[in-house]
Amino acid sequence: MSTSRRHPPLRFEPARPAPGRRKILAFLLGTLIWLAAGVLAVVLLGQSFILRHLLLAVLVSWCVFGIALAFGSASRRRKEGEAP
């Protein structure tokens, strides 16, 4: 005899969304930390093909996620403006 209850799907809703400046600061700080780690690795381990590609991957991902963050923020502001 199985008694399984159906629970409604959980949906995460933050108590208070982070302000835009805080998101930008966190984004930039995270990027600086990754770049510092990459530069430190190149300095300590010597330049190599893999480490240079690691730094390039960090820069490319920074650009991609920066664009995604900008579009997401703009979309959210647009939707909040349409709300009654």
Side-chain angles (χ1 to χ4, degrees), residues 59-69:
L59 288 173
V60 169
S61 67
W62 181 79
C63 291
V64 169
F65 290 116
I67 292 169
L69 179 63

Side-chain angles (χ1 to χ4, degrees), residues 27-75:
F27 177 74
L28 293 175
L29 183 62
T31 301
L32 289 176
I33 290 171
W34 273 105
L35 285 174
V39 169
L40 185 64
V42 168
V43 168
L44 292 178
L45 301 174
Q47 291 188 5
S48 72
F49 177 77
I50 293 172
L51 293 175
R52 283 182 288 188
H53 278 73
L54 171 68
L55 287 176
L56 180 64
V58 169
L59 288 173
V60 169
S61 67
W62 181 79
C63 291
V64 169
F65 290 116
I67 292 169
L69 179 63
F71 278 127
S73 295
S75 174

